[in-house]
Amino acid sequence: MPHATATFNGKVIAETDTYEFVEGNVYFPPSSVDQTVFTPSEHHTYCPWKGQASYKNIVVDGKEAKDAAWYYPETITDKASGLKDYYAFYKAKVEVTKE
């Protein structure tokens, strides 16, 4: 599997060789994400096969990206079970690459 990274404001905030790729998004395992860059967000969205997504803001060196990361603390179908607690990032706010 190719290597994947997520970078915000010049800092690598996630990096892994094991991830899920779903609907054009790289989902990073929680252990591969620097969660110290996250601040809480009250934003939520709903997917009919994944469930309710919770969001995080990202702050690096004073620069903030609101609601730039999301994850599914609980999934609602077997198909989505591999995404539980994995993080994805809005590509318009965070640079995500697969090599």
Side-chain angles (χ1 to χ4, degrees), residues 1-7 12 14-17 19 26 28 95-99:
M1 178 171 277
H3 189 74
T5 60
T7 305
V12 174
E15 187 169 23
T16 187
D17 291 323
Y19 55 85
V26 174
F28 292 83
E95 180 185 353
V96 178
T97 60
K98 292 187 309 173
E99 299 170 5

Side-chain angles (χ1 to χ4, degrees), residues 6 9 32-33 42 53 57 63 75 86-87:
N9 199 27
S32 71
V33 178
E42 297 299 318
N57 304 316
K63 183 175 180 182
T75 54
Y86 276 46
Y87 285 90

Side-chain angles (χ1 to χ4, degrees), residues 43-47 50-55 71-76:
H43 187 64
H44 297 278
T45 57
Y46 184 79
C47 171
K50 292 179 242 157
Q52 181 171 283
S54 295
Y55 285 73
Y71 68 104
Y72 295 90
E74 299 295 331
T75 54
I76 60 171

Side-chain angles (χ1 to χ4, degrees), residues 43 45 55 66-70 88-96:
H43 187 64
T45 57
Y55 285 73
K66 304 268 302 160
D67 304 323
W70 75 91
F89 300 94
Y90 273 108
K91 291 177 263 184
K93 298 179 181 184
V94 175
E95 180 185 353
V96 178

Side-chain angles (χ1 to χ4, degrees), residues 3 7-8 15 22 25 30 33-34 41 60 83 96:
H3 189 74
T7 305
F8 177 70
E15 187 169 23
V22 177
N25 295 301
V33 178
D34 177 0
S41 169
V60 172
L83 299 178
V96 178

